Amino acid sequence: MIAMINGYGYSSNTYVILDKDIIVVDPGSEESFDKLMDELEFITNKVDYIINTHCHYDHSSANYLLEEIFDCPTIIHDNEVNHLKRGDEVTVSWLFGKRLKAPKEIVPLSEIEIDFLKFVHTPGHTYGSISIIYEDKVLTGDTLFSNSVGRWDLPTGNLEELKSSILKLERLIYENNIKEVLPGHGEVGNRKSLEIAKALLGLR
């Protein structure tokens, strides 16, 4: 099952996947960490992995705090490992007037296999953005929202890649009979989210 913790302020939504392993997807911003923990303690008392859908500060700056409590590694797409380690401009911490502190253990996605998850590379918002399929749900980070798409004007963003990723998600959502779209911000979406995204991007 998946438990959703709504983001506070600019912090991302957080998703807790409860299966053979306990996985926290996008712990959000460090400023909201206490509120995250207030809710997380009612869901689980262990975390095996952190997964970031991309390296942006509002999704990843609480990684190190969660790691300190649960001694769990952070998994992120290979393209963004070094950005997360350095906390550089690609993490857009400067947008929030902050500096990102990296977790100690960061593992490239290519080195991990979790048999109950399917990872999909969906660049466009950033070049290492991923989506995650779990049962009849897809976690889309900032690639696809309930009623919009992620911006592509930040470092490593690319409009044409975003268009391709939306079309890839459309194919996978129908192939895997996905019912819910769980985005990085805002409310839960569904297949209608695809039609909105395609209209916004001028896709057929």
PDB file of all heavy atoms in Angstrom, residues 122 125 130-131 138-151 162 165-166 169-170 173 180-185 187 189-198 200-201:
ATOM      1  N   THR A 122      11.800   9.634 -16.876  1.00  0.00           N
ATOM      2  CA  THR A 122      10.871  10.598 -17.488  1.00  0.00           C
ATOM      3  C   THR A 122      11.471  11.996 -17.427  1.00  0.00           C
ATOM      4  O   THR A 122      11.015  12.868 -16.678  1.00  0.00           O
ATOM      5  CB  THR A 122       9.494  10.566 -16.795  1.00  0.00           C
ATOM      6  OG1 THR A 122       9.661  10.616 -15.359  1.00  0.00           O
ATOM      7  CG2 THR A 122       8.732   9.305 -17.147  1.00  0.00           C
ATOM      8  N   HIS A 125      11.459  17.796 -16.760  1.00  0.00           N
ATOM      9  CA  HIS A 125      11.527  18.723 -15.625  1.00  0.00           C
ATOM     10  C   HIS A 125      12.983  18.855 -15.185  1.00  0.00           C
ATOM     11  O   HIS A 125      13.478  19.952 -14.973  1.00  0.00           O
ATOM     12  CB  HIS A 125      10.645  18.216 -14.489  1.00  0.00           C
ATOM     13  CG  HIS A 125      10.632  19.103 -13.281  1.00  0.00           C
ATOM     14  ND1 HIS A 125      10.202  20.412 -13.324  1.00  0.00           N
ATOM     15  CD2 HIS A 125      11.002  18.872 -11.994  1.00  0.00           C
ATOM     16  CE1 HIS A 125      10.310  20.947 -12.123  1.00  0.00           C
ATOM     17  NE2 HIS A 125      10.808  20.036 -11.301  1.00  0.00           N
ATOM     18  N   ILE A 130      12.448  10.725 -12.603  1.00  0.00           N
ATOM     19  CA  ILE A 130      11.886   9.391 -12.775  1.00  0.00           C
ATOM     20  C   ILE A 130      10.431   9.365 -12.311  1.00  0.00           C
ATOM     21  O   ILE A 130      10.004  10.206 -11.515  1.00  0.00           O
ATOM     22  CB  ILE A 130      12.673   8.315 -12.000  1.00  0.00           C
ATOM     23  CG1 ILE A 130      12.636   8.581 -10.479  1.00  0.00           C
ATOM     24  CG2 ILE A 130      14.098   8.216 -12.517  1.00  0.00           C
ATOM     25  CD1 ILE A 130      13.167   7.431  -9.627  1.00  0.00           C
ATOM     26  N   SER A 131       9.706   8.390 -12.831  1.00  0.00           N
ATOM     27  CA  SER A 131       8.387   8.038 -12.319  1.00  0.00           C
ATOM     28  C   SER A 131       8.481   6.598 -11.812  1.00  0.00           C
ATOM     29  O   SER A 131       9.349   5.840 -12.242  1.00  0.00           O
ATOM     30  CB  SER A 131       7.325   8.165 -13.403  1.00  0.00           C
ATOM     31  OG  SER A 131       7.206   9.521 -13.836  1.00  0.00           O
ATOM     32  N   VAL A 138       0.965   5.375 -10.215  1.00  0.00           N
ATOM     33  CA  VAL A 138       2.254   5.854 -10.698  1.00  0.00           C
ATOM     34  C   VAL A 138       2.603   7.147  -9.974  1.00  0.00           C
ATOM     35  O   VAL A 138       1.783   8.062  -9.878  1.00  0.00           O
ATOM     36  CB  VAL A 138       2.269   6.039 -12.230  1.00  0.00           C
ATOM     37  CG1 VAL A 138       1.210   7.043 -12.695  1.00  0.00           C
ATOM     38  CG2 VAL A 138       3.660   6.463 -12.701  1.00  0.00           C
ATOM     39  N   LEU A 139       3.797   7.188  -9.415  1.00  0.00           N
ATOM     40  CA  LEU A 139       4.316   8.377  -8.749  1.00  0.00           C
ATOM     41  C   LEU A 139       5.113   9.151  -9.790  1.00  0.00           C
ATOM     42  O   LEU A 139       6.090   8.618 -10.350  1.00  0.00           O
ATOM     43  CB  LEU A 139       5.211   7.999  -7.567  1.00  0.00           C
ATOM     44  CG  LEU A 139       4.538   7.382  -6.328  1.00  0.00           C
ATOM     45  CD1 LEU A 139       4.038   5.967  -6.592  1.00  0.00           C
ATOM     46  CD2 LEU A 139       5.514   7.363  -5.159  1.00  0.00           C
ATOM     47  N   THR A 140       4.708  10.373 -10.073  1.00  0.00           N
ATOM     48  CA  THR A 140       5.243  11.086 -11.231  1.00  0.00           C
ATOM     49  C   THR A 140       6.153  12.255 -10.887  1.00  0.00           C
ATOM     50  O   THR A 140       6.609  12.964 -11.790  1.00  0.00           O
ATOM     51  CB  THR A 140       4.087  11.593 -12.106  1.00  0.00           C
ATOM     52  OG1 THR A 140       3.180  12.353 -11.302  1.00  0.00           O
ATOM     53  CG2 THR A 140       3.355  10.434 -12.766  1.00  0.00           C
ATOM     54  N   GLY A 141       6.451  12.477  -9.602  1.00  0.00           N
ATOM     55  CA  GLY A 141       7.307  13.607  -9.255  1.00  0.00           C
ATOM     56  C   GLY A 141       6.735  14.904  -9.804  1.00  0.00           C
ATOM     57  O   GLY A 141       5.528  15.151  -9.701  1.00  0.00           O
ATOM     58  N   ASP A 142       7.599  15.709 -10.433  1.00  0.00           N
ATOM     59  CA  ASP A 142       7.131  16.971 -11.020  1.00  0.00           C
ATOM     60  C   ASP A 142       7.017  16.885 -12.537  1.00  0.00           C
ATOM     61  O   ASP A 142       7.018  17.909 -13.226  1.00  0.00           O
ATOM     62  CB  ASP A 142       8.073  18.110 -10.630  1.00  0.00           C
ATOM     63  CG  ASP A 142       7.926  18.519  -9.170  1.00  0.00           C
ATOM     64  OD1 ASP A 142       7.100  17.913  -8.458  1.00  0.00           O
ATOM     65  OD2 ASP A 142       8.644  19.440  -8.741  1.00  0.00           O
ATOM     66  N   THR A 143       6.913  15.676 -13.064  1.00  0.00           N
ATOM     67  CA  THR A 143       6.702  15.514 -14.496  1.00  0.00           C
ATOM     68  C   THR A 143       5.239  15.745 -14.850  1.00  0.00           C
ATOM     69  O   THR A 143       4.915  16.522 -15.759  1.00  0.00           O
ATOM     70  CB  THR A 143       7.132  14.105 -14.946  1.00  0.00           C
ATOM     71  OG1 THR A 143       8.529  13.935 -14.673  1.00  0.00           O
ATOM     72  CG2 THR A 143       6.871  13.900 -16.430  1.00  0.00           C
ATOM     73  N   LEU A 144       4.346  15.103 -14.128  1.00  0.00           N
ATOM     74  CA  LEU A 144       2.905  15.183 -14.404  1.00  0.00           C
ATOM     75  C   LEU A 144       2.158  15.456 -13.113  1.00  0.00           C
ATOM     76  O   LEU A 144       2.314  14.724 -12.135  1.00  0.00           O
ATOM     77  CB  LEU A 144       2.427  13.864 -15.015  1.00  0.00           C
ATOM     78  CG  LEU A 144       0.925  13.704 -15.265  1.00  0.00           C
ATOM     79  CD1 LEU A 144       0.431  14.721 -16.283  1.00  0.00           C
ATOM     80  CD2 LEU A 144       0.612  12.279 -15.715  1.00  0.00           C
ATOM     81  N   PHE A 145       1.373  16.532 -13.111  1.00  0.00           N
ATOM     82  CA  PHE A 145       0.520  16.868 -11.970  1.00  0.00           C
ATOM     83  C   PHE A 145      -0.927  16.500 -12.299  1.00  0.00           C
ATOM     84  O   PHE A 145      -1.245  16.108 -13.417  1.00  0.00           O
ATOM     85  CB  PHE A 145       0.626  18.360 -11.640  1.00  0.00           C
ATOM     86  CG  PHE A 145       2.007  18.803 -11.263  1.00  0.00           C
ATOM     87  CD1 PHE A 145       2.611  19.869 -11.910  1.00  0.00           C
ATOM     88  CD2 PHE A 145       2.718  18.165 -10.252  1.00  0.00           C
ATOM     89  CE1 PHE A 145       3.877  20.289 -11.565  1.00  0.00           C
ATOM     90  CE2 PHE A 145       3.984  18.577  -9.889  1.00  0.00           C
ATOM     91  CZ  PHE A 145       4.583  19.643 -10.553  1.00  0.00           C
ATOM     92  N   SER A 146      -1.800  16.674 -11.324  1.00  0.00           N
ATOM     93  CA  SER A 146      -3.206  16.373 -11.538  1.00  0.00           C
ATOM     94  C   SER A 146      -3.789  17.195 -12.684  1.00  0.00           C
ATOM     95  O   SER A 146      -4.535  16.682 -13.514  1.00  0.00           O
ATOM     96  CB  SER A 146      -3.996  16.631 -10.249  1.00  0.00           C
ATOM     97  OG  SER A 146      -5.377  16.476 -10.474  1.00  0.00           O
ATOM     98  N   ASN A 147      -3.417  18.485 -12.725  1.00  0.00           N
ATOM     99  CA  ASN A 147      -4.001  19.384 -13.722  1.00  0.00           C
ATOM    100  C   ASN A 147      -2.950  20.192 -14.477  1.00  0.00           C
ATOM    101  O   ASN A 147      -3.265  21.268 -15.004  1.00  0.00           O
ATOM    102  CB  ASN A 147      -4.992  20.345 -13.056  1.00  0.00           C
ATOM    103  CG  ASN A 147      -6.187  19.630 -12.472  1.00  0.00           C
ATOM    104  OD1 ASN A 147      -6.955  19.003 -13.200  1.00  0.00           O
ATOM    105  ND2 ASN A 147      -6.345  19.678 -11.160  1.00  0.00           N
ATOM    106  N   SER A 148      -1.722  19.686 -14.524  1.00  0.00           N
ATOM    107  CA  SER A 148      -0.669  20.457 -15.180  1.00  0.00           C
ATOM    108  C   SER A 148       0.547  19.564 -15.398  1.00  0.00           C
ATOM    109  O   SER A 148       0.489  18.352 -15.176  1.00  0.00           O
ATOM    110  CB  SER A 148      -0.292  21.677 -14.328  1.00  0.00           C
ATOM    111  OG  SER A 148       0.596  22.535 -15.031  1.00  0.00           O
ATOM    112  N   VAL A 149       1.630  20.188 -15.831  1.00  0.00           N
ATOM    113  CA  VAL A 149       2.913  19.501 -15.984  1.00  0.00           C
ATOM    114  C   VAL A 149       3.983  20.324 -15.267  1.00  0.00           C
ATOM    115  O   VAL A 149       3.779  21.488 -14.933  1.00  0.00           O
ATOM    116  CB  VAL A 149       3.309  19.340 -17.470  1.00  0.00           C
ATOM    117  CG1 VAL A 149       2.331  18.431 -18.187  1.00  0.00           C
ATOM    118  CG2 VAL A 149       3.405  20.701 -18.165  1.00  0.00           C
ATOM    119  N   GLY A 150       5.133  19.706 -15.051  1.00  0.00           N
ATOM    120  CA  GLY A 150       6.233  20.410 -14.412  1.00  0.00           C
ATOM    121  C   GLY A 150       6.875  21.436 -15.337  1.00  0.00           C
ATOM    122  O   GLY A 150       6.812  21.296 -16.571  1.00  0.00           O
ATOM    123  N   ARG A 151       7.498  22.428 -14.754  1.00  0.00           N
ATOM    124  CA  ARG A 151       8.193  23.433 -15.558  1.00  0.00           C
ATOM    125  C   ARG A 151       9.476  22.836 -16.134  1.00  0.00           C
ATOM    126  O   ARG A 151      10.038  21.896 -15.590  1.00  0.00           O
ATOM    127  CB  ARG A 151       8.485  24.677 -14.723  1.00  0.00           C
ATOM    128  CG  ARG A 151       9.263  24.444 -13.462  1.00  0.00           C
ATOM    129  CD  ARG A 151       9.293  25.671 -12.565  1.00  0.00           C
ATOM    130  NE  ARG A 151      10.038  26.784 -13.157  1.00  0.00           N
ATOM    131  CZ  ARG A 151      10.298  27.929 -12.516  1.00  0.00           C
ATOM    132  NH1 ARG A 151       9.855  28.113 -11.273  1.00  0.00           N
ATOM    133  NH2 ARG A 151      10.978  28.888 -13.101  1.00  0.00           N
ATOM    134  N   LEU A 162      10.228  16.626 -22.028  1.00  0.00           N
ATOM    135  CA  LEU A 162       9.007  16.552 -21.228  1.00  0.00           C
ATOM    136  C   LEU A 162       7.849  16.030 -22.072  1.00  0.00           C
ATOM    137  O   LEU A 162       7.064  15.175 -21.620  1.00  0.00           O
ATOM    138  CB  LEU A 162       8.673  17.924 -20.643  1.00  0.00           C
ATOM    139  CG  LEU A 162       7.432  17.982 -19.758  1.00  0.00           C
ATOM    140  CD1 LEU A 162       7.587  17.104 -18.524  1.00  0.00           C
ATOM    141  CD2 LEU A 162       7.139  19.430 -19.335  1.00  0.00           C
ATOM    142  N   SER A 165       8.220  12.400 -22.436  1.00  0.00           N
ATOM    143  CA  SER A 165       7.941  11.695 -21.184  1.00  0.00           C
ATOM    144  C   SER A 165       6.449  11.583 -20.923  1.00  0.00           C
ATOM    145  O   SER A 165       5.976  10.558 -20.410  1.00  0.00           O
ATOM    146  CB  SER A 165       8.630  12.411 -20.018  1.00  0.00           C
ATOM    147  OG  SER A 165      10.035  12.273 -20.108  1.00  0.00           O
ATOM    148  N   ILE A 166       5.690  12.607 -21.277  1.00  0.00           N
ATOM    149  CA  ILE A 166       4.235  12.545 -21.103  1.00  0.00           C
ATOM    150  C   ILE A 166       3.648  11.463 -22.003  1.00  0.00           C
ATOM    151  O   ILE A 166       2.783  10.682 -21.577  1.00  0.00           O
ATOM    152  CB  ILE A 166       3.591  13.915 -21.391  1.00  0.00           C
ATOM    153  CG1 ILE A 166       4.014  14.950 -20.336  1.00  0.00           C
ATOM    154  CG2 ILE A 166       2.063  13.799 -21.449  1.00  0.00           C
ATOM    155  CD1 ILE A 166       3.627  14.615 -18.912  1.00  0.00           C
ATOM    156  N   LEU A 169       4.523   8.135 -20.458  1.00  0.00           N
ATOM    157  CA  LEU A 169       3.643   7.857 -19.325  1.00  0.00           C
ATOM    158  C   LEU A 169       2.254   7.443 -19.787  1.00  0.00           C
ATOM    159  O   LEU A 169       1.641   6.545 -19.206  1.00  0.00           O
ATOM    160  CB  LEU A 169       3.559   9.084 -18.408  1.00  0.00           C
ATOM    161  CG  LEU A 169       4.733   9.310 -17.466  1.00  0.00           C
ATOM    162  CD1 LEU A 169       4.614  10.670 -16.775  1.00  0.00           C
ATOM    163  CD2 LEU A 169       4.809   8.203 -16.418  1.00  0.00           C
ATOM    164  N   GLU A 170       1.763   8.078 -20.833  1.00  0.00           N
ATOM    165  CA  GLU A 170       0.448   7.699 -21.360  1.00  0.00           C
ATOM    166  C   GLU A 170       0.443   6.227 -21.759  1.00  0.00           C
ATOM    167  O   GLU A 170      -0.469   5.467 -21.395  1.00  0.00           O
ATOM    168  CB  GLU A 170       0.090   8.570 -22.558  1.00  0.00           C
ATOM    169  CG  GLU A 170      -1.264   8.223 -23.152  1.00  0.00           C
ATOM    170  CD  GLU A 170      -1.599   9.078 -24.362  1.00  0.00           C
ATOM    171  OE1 GLU A 170      -0.701   9.304 -25.203  1.00  0.00           O
ATOM    172  OE2 GLU A 170      -2.754   9.515 -24.466  1.00  0.00           O
ATOM    173  N   ILE A 173       0.734   4.010 -18.580  1.00  0.00           N
ATOM    174  CA  ILE A 173      -0.466   4.054 -17.743  1.00  0.00           C
ATOM    175  C   ILE A 173      -1.543   3.124 -18.302  1.00  0.00           C
ATOM    176  O   ILE A 173      -2.203   2.400 -17.550  1.00  0.00           O
ATOM    177  CB  ILE A 173      -0.969   5.510 -17.611  1.00  0.00           C
ATOM    178  CG1 ILE A 173      -0.079   6.261 -16.587  1.00  0.00           C
ATOM    179  CG2 ILE A 173      -2.442   5.567 -17.206  1.00  0.00           C
ATOM    180  CD1 ILE A 173      -0.329   7.751 -16.516  1.00  0.00           C
ATOM    181  N   GLU A 180      -4.341   5.688 -10.643  1.00  0.00           N
ATOM    182  CA  GLU A 180      -4.077   6.946  -9.955  1.00  0.00           C
ATOM    183  C   GLU A 180      -2.704   7.492 -10.307  1.00  0.00           C
ATOM    184  O   GLU A 180      -1.727   6.745 -10.413  1.00  0.00           O
ATOM    185  CB  GLU A 180      -4.155   6.766  -8.431  1.00  0.00           C
ATOM    186  CG  GLU A 180      -5.546   6.511  -7.904  1.00  0.00           C
ATOM    187  CD  GLU A 180      -5.590   6.462  -6.380  1.00  0.00           C
ATOM    188  OE1 GLU A 180      -4.593   6.026  -5.762  1.00  0.00           O
ATOM    189  OE2 GLU A 180      -6.630   6.846  -5.822  1.00  0.00           O
ATOM    190  N   VAL A 181      -2.652   8.806 -10.468  1.00  0.00           N
ATOM    191  CA  VAL A 181      -1.406   9.541 -10.666  1.00  0.00           C
ATOM    192  C   VAL A 181      -1.091  10.263  -9.363  1.00  0.00           C
ATOM    193  O   VAL A 181      -1.885  11.091  -8.895  1.00  0.00           O
ATOM    194  CB  VAL A 181      -1.549  10.558 -11.824  1.00  0.00           C
ATOM    195  CG1 VAL A 181      -0.325  11.468 -11.900  1.00  0.00           C
ATOM    196  CG2 VAL A 181      -1.765   9.831 -13.150  1.00  0.00           C
ATOM    197  N   LEU A 182       0.049   9.929  -8.769  1.00  0.00           N
ATOM    198  CA  LEU A 182       0.453  10.516  -7.494  1.00  0.00           C
ATOM    199  C   LEU A 182       1.585  11.507  -7.761  1.00  0.00           C
ATOM    200  O   LEU A 182       2.746  11.108  -7.923  1.00  0.00           O
ATOM    201  CB  LEU A 182       0.905   9.422  -6.524  1.00  0.00           C
ATOM    202  CG  LEU A 182      -0.074   8.267  -6.293  1.00  0.00           C
ATOM    203  CD1 LEU A 182       0.494   7.282  -5.275  1.00  0.00           C
ATOM    204  CD2 LEU A 182      -1.430   8.778  -5.836  1.00  0.00           C
ATOM    205  N   PRO A 183       1.276  12.806  -7.803  1.00  0.00           N
ATOM    206  CA  PRO A 183       2.260  13.793  -8.222  1.00  0.00           C
ATOM    207  C   PRO A 183       3.106  14.338  -7.081  1.00  0.00           C
ATOM    208  O   PRO A 183       2.804  14.136  -5.894  1.00  0.00           O
ATOM    209  CB  PRO A 183       1.372  14.900  -8.806  1.00  0.00           C
ATOM    210  CG  PRO A 183       0.144  14.859  -7.934  1.00  0.00           C
ATOM    211  CD  PRO A 183      -0.061  13.392  -7.592  1.00  0.00           C
ATOM    212  N   GLY A 184       4.143  15.067  -7.445  1.00  0.00           N
ATOM    213  CA  GLY A 184       5.039  15.652  -6.459  1.00  0.00           C
ATOM    214  C   GLY A 184       4.430  16.794  -5.678  1.00  0.00           C
ATOM    215  O   GLY A 184       4.913  17.124  -4.578  1.00  0.00           O
ATOM    216  N   HIS A 185       3.408  17.418  -6.211  1.00  0.00           N
ATOM    217  CA  HIS A 185       2.708  18.511  -5.521  1.00  0.00           C
ATOM    218  C   HIS A 185       1.229  18.436  -5.872  1.00  0.00           C
ATOM    219  O   HIS A 185       0.865  17.997  -6.963  1.00  0.00           O
ATOM    220  CB  HIS A 185       3.253  19.885  -5.951  1.00  0.00           C
ATOM    221  CG  HIS A 185       4.705  20.084  -5.677  1.00  0.00           C
ATOM    222  ND1 HIS A 185       5.174  20.571  -4.474  1.00  0.00           N
ATOM    223  CD2 HIS A 185       5.789  19.866  -6.443  1.00  0.00           C
ATOM    224  CE1 HIS A 185       6.496  20.632  -4.523  1.00  0.00           C
ATOM    225  NE2 HIS A 185       6.894  20.217  -5.707  1.00  0.00           N
ATOM    226  N   GLU A 187      -2.968  17.633  -5.600  1.00  0.00           N
ATOM    227  CA  GLU A 187      -3.869  16.505  -5.362  1.00  0.00           C
ATOM    228  C   GLU A 187      -3.602  15.342  -6.301  1.00  0.00           C
ATOM    229  O   GLU A 187      -2.934  15.488  -7.333  1.00  0.00           O
ATOM    230  CB  GLU A 187      -5.321  16.979  -5.531  1.00  0.00           C
ATOM    231  CG  GLU A 187      -5.650  17.483  -6.922  1.00  0.00           C
ATOM    232  CD  GLU A 187      -7.021  18.130  -7.016  1.00  0.00           C
ATOM    233  OE1 GLU A 187      -7.542  18.585  -5.996  1.00  0.00           O
ATOM    234  OE2 GLU A 187      -7.560  18.170  -8.144  1.00  0.00           O
ATOM    235  N   GLY A 189      -4.189  12.636  -9.113  1.00  0.00           N
ATOM    236  CA  GLY A 189      -4.842  12.695 -10.409  1.00  0.00           C
ATOM    237  C   GLY A 189      -5.211  11.315 -10.917  1.00  0.00           C
ATOM    238  O   GLY A 189      -5.129  10.318 -10.204  1.00  0.00           O
ATOM    239  N   ASN A 190      -5.610  11.273 -12.183  1.00  0.00           N
ATOM    240  CA  ASN A 190      -5.987  10.016 -12.827  1.00  0.00           C
ATOM    241  C   ASN A 190      -5.685  10.147 -14.318  1.00  0.00           C
ATOM    242  O   ASN A 190      -4.902  11.004 -14.723  1.00  0.00           O
ATOM    243  CB  ASN A 190      -7.459   9.700 -12.563  1.00  0.00           C
ATOM    244  CG  ASN A 190      -8.375  10.865 -12.907  1.00  0.00           C
ATOM    245  OD1 ASN A 190      -8.154  11.561 -13.907  1.00  0.00           O
ATOM    246  ND2 ASN A 190      -9.384  11.099 -12.100  1.00  0.00           N
ATOM    247  N   ARG A 191      -6.308   9.308 -15.123  1.00  0.00           N
ATOM    248  CA  ARG A 191      -5.997   9.335 -16.549  1.00  0.00           C
ATOM    249  C   ARG A 191      -6.361  10.660 -17.213  1.00  0.00           C
ATOM    250  O   ARG A 191      -5.780  11.027 -18.241  1.00  0.00           O
ATOM    251  CB  ARG A 191      -6.702   8.173 -17.252  1.00  0.00           C
ATOM    252  CG  ARG A 191      -6.136   6.819 -16.863  1.00  0.00           C
ATOM    253  CD  ARG A 191      -6.816   5.687 -17.596  1.00  0.00           C
ATOM    254  NE  ARG A 191      -6.260   4.391 -17.199  1.00  0.00           N
ATOM    255  CZ  ARG A 191      -6.647   3.234 -17.716  1.00  0.00           C
ATOM    256  NH1 ARG A 191      -7.609   3.207 -18.641  1.00  0.00           N
ATOM    257  NH2 ARG A 191      -6.095   2.106 -17.303  1.00  0.00           N
ATOM    258  N   LYS A 192      -7.313  11.375 -16.650  1.00  0.00           N
ATOM    259  CA  LYS A 192      -7.659  12.691 -17.201  1.00  0.00           C
ATOM    260  C   LYS A 192      -6.475  13.655 -17.119  1.00  0.00           C
ATOM    261  O   LYS A 192      -6.379  14.598 -17.910  1.00  0.00           O
ATOM    262  CB  LYS A 192      -8.865  13.271 -16.460  1.00  0.00           C
ATOM    263  CG  LYS A 192     -10.165  12.530 -16.721  1.00  0.00           C
ATOM    264  CD  LYS A 192     -11.319  13.161 -15.974  1.00  0.00           C
ATOM    265  CE  LYS A 192     -12.624  12.416 -16.222  1.00  0.00           C
ATOM    266  NZ  LYS A 192     -13.760  12.988 -15.453  1.00  0.00           N
ATOM    267  N   SER A 193      -5.581  13.407 -16.165  1.00  0.00           N
ATOM    268  CA  SER A 193      -4.397  14.260 -16.031  1.00  0.00           C
ATOM    269  C   SER A 193      -3.556  14.223 -17.303  1.00  0.00           C
ATOM    270  O   SER A 193      -2.935  15.227 -17.678  1.00  0.00           O
ATOM    271  CB  SER A 193      -3.556  13.804 -14.836  1.00  0.00           C
ATOM    272  OG  SER A 193      -4.309  13.817 -13.647  1.00  0.00           O
ATOM    273  N   LEU A 194      -3.529  13.079 -17.958  1.00  0.00           N
ATOM    274  CA  LEU A 194      -2.796  12.953 -19.213  1.00  0.00           C
ATOM    275  C   LEU A 194      -3.380  13.851 -20.299  1.00  0.00           C
ATOM    276  O   LEU A 194      -2.640  14.503 -21.048  1.00  0.00           O
ATOM    277  CB  LEU A 194      -2.823  11.505 -19.699  1.00  0.00           C
ATOM    278  CG  LEU A 194      -1.953  10.502 -18.964  1.00  0.00           C
ATOM    279  CD1 LEU A 194      -2.332   9.098 -19.382  1.00  0.00           C
ATOM    280  CD2 LEU A 194      -0.481  10.759 -19.247  1.00  0.00           C
ATOM    281  N   GLU A 195      -4.692  13.859 -20.405  1.00  0.00           N
ATOM    282  CA  GLU A 195      -5.331  14.675 -21.437  1.00  0.00           C
ATOM    283  C   GLU A 195      -5.073  16.162 -21.201  1.00  0.00           C
ATOM    284  O   GLU A 195      -4.839  16.916 -22.151  1.00  0.00           O
ATOM    285  CB  GLU A 195      -6.829  14.388 -21.476  1.00  0.00           C
ATOM    286  CG  GLU A 195      -7.167  12.935 -21.806  1.00  0.00           C
ATOM    287  CD  GLU A 195      -6.465  12.442 -23.060  1.00  0.00           C
ATOM    288  OE1 GLU A 195      -6.471  13.164 -24.068  1.00  0.00           O
ATOM    289  OE2 GLU A 195      -5.904  11.335 -23.009  1.00  0.00           O
ATOM    290  N   ILE A 196      -5.093  16.570 -19.948  1.00  0.00           N
ATOM    291  CA  ILE A 196      -4.796  17.969 -19.613  1.00  0.00           C
ATOM    292  C   ILE A 196      -3.359  18.294 -19.988  1.00  0.00           C
ATOM    293  O   ILE A 196      -3.065  19.322 -20.612  1.00  0.00           O
ATOM    294  CB  ILE A 196      -5.045  18.229 -18.119  1.00  0.00           C
ATOM    295  CG1 ILE A 196      -6.529  18.073 -17.794  1.00  0.00           C
ATOM    296  CG2 ILE A 196      -4.553  19.613 -17.712  1.00  0.00           C
ATOM    297  CD1 ILE A 196      -6.839  18.059 -16.305  1.00  0.00           C
ATOM    298  N   ALA A 197      -2.436  17.398 -19.638  1.00  0.00           N
ATOM    299  CA  ALA A 197      -1.026  17.608 -19.925  1.00  0.00           C
ATOM    300  C   ALA A 197      -0.787  17.693 -21.435  1.00  0.00           C
ATOM    301  O   ALA A 197      -0.057  18.573 -21.915  1.00  0.00           O
ATOM    302  CB  ALA A 197      -0.191  16.488 -19.320  1.00  0.00           C
ATOM    303  N   LYS A 198      -1.387  16.799 -22.170  1.00  0.00           N
ATOM    304  CA  LYS A 198      -1.193  16.789 -23.618  1.00  0.00           C
ATOM    305  C   LYS A 198      -1.740  18.059 -24.258  1.00  0.00           C
ATOM    306  O   LYS A 198      -1.128  18.624 -25.172  1.00  0.00           O
ATOM    307  CB  LYS A 198      -1.854  15.550 -24.227  1.00  0.00           C
ATOM    308  CG  LYS A 198      -1.100  14.251 -23.906  1.00  0.00           C
ATOM    309  CD  LYS A 198      -1.902  13.022 -24.289  1.00  0.00           C
ATOM    310  CE  LYS A 198      -2.139  12.937 -25.766  1.00  0.00           C
ATOM    311  NZ  LYS A 198      -2.934  11.727 -26.147  1.00  0.00           N
ATOM    312  N   LEU A 200      -1.985  21.007 -22.790  1.00  0.00           N
ATOM    313  CA  LEU A 200      -1.080  22.099 -22.421  1.00  0.00           C
ATOM    314  C   LEU A 200       0.182  22.110 -23.271  1.00  0.00           C
ATOM    315  O   LEU A 200       0.731  23.171 -23.582  1.00  0.00           O
ATOM    316  CB  LEU A 200      -0.688  21.975 -20.947  1.00  0.00           C
ATOM    317  CG  LEU A 200      -1.781  22.303 -19.923  1.00  0.00           C
ATOM    318  CD1 LEU A 200      -1.315  21.913 -18.516  1.00  0.00           C
ATOM    319  CD2 LEU A 200      -2.131  23.781 -19.968  1.00  0.00           C
ATOM    320  N   LEU A 201       0.640  20.927 -23.655  1.00  0.00           N
ATOM    321  CA  LEU A 201       1.891  20.808 -24.412  1.00  0.00           C
ATOM    322  C   LEU A 201       1.671  20.722 -25.910  1.00  0.00           C
ATOM    323  O   LEU A 201       2.623  20.582 -26.682  1.00  0.00           O
ATOM    324  CB  LEU A 201       2.657  19.566 -23.949  1.00  0.00           C
ATOM    325  CG  LEU A 201       3.144  19.600 -22.490  1.00  0.00           C
ATOM    326  CD1 LEU A 201       3.735  18.249 -22.098  1.00  0.00           C
ATOM    327  CD2 LEU A 201       4.165  20.718 -22.276  1.00  0.00           C
TER     328      LEU A 201
END
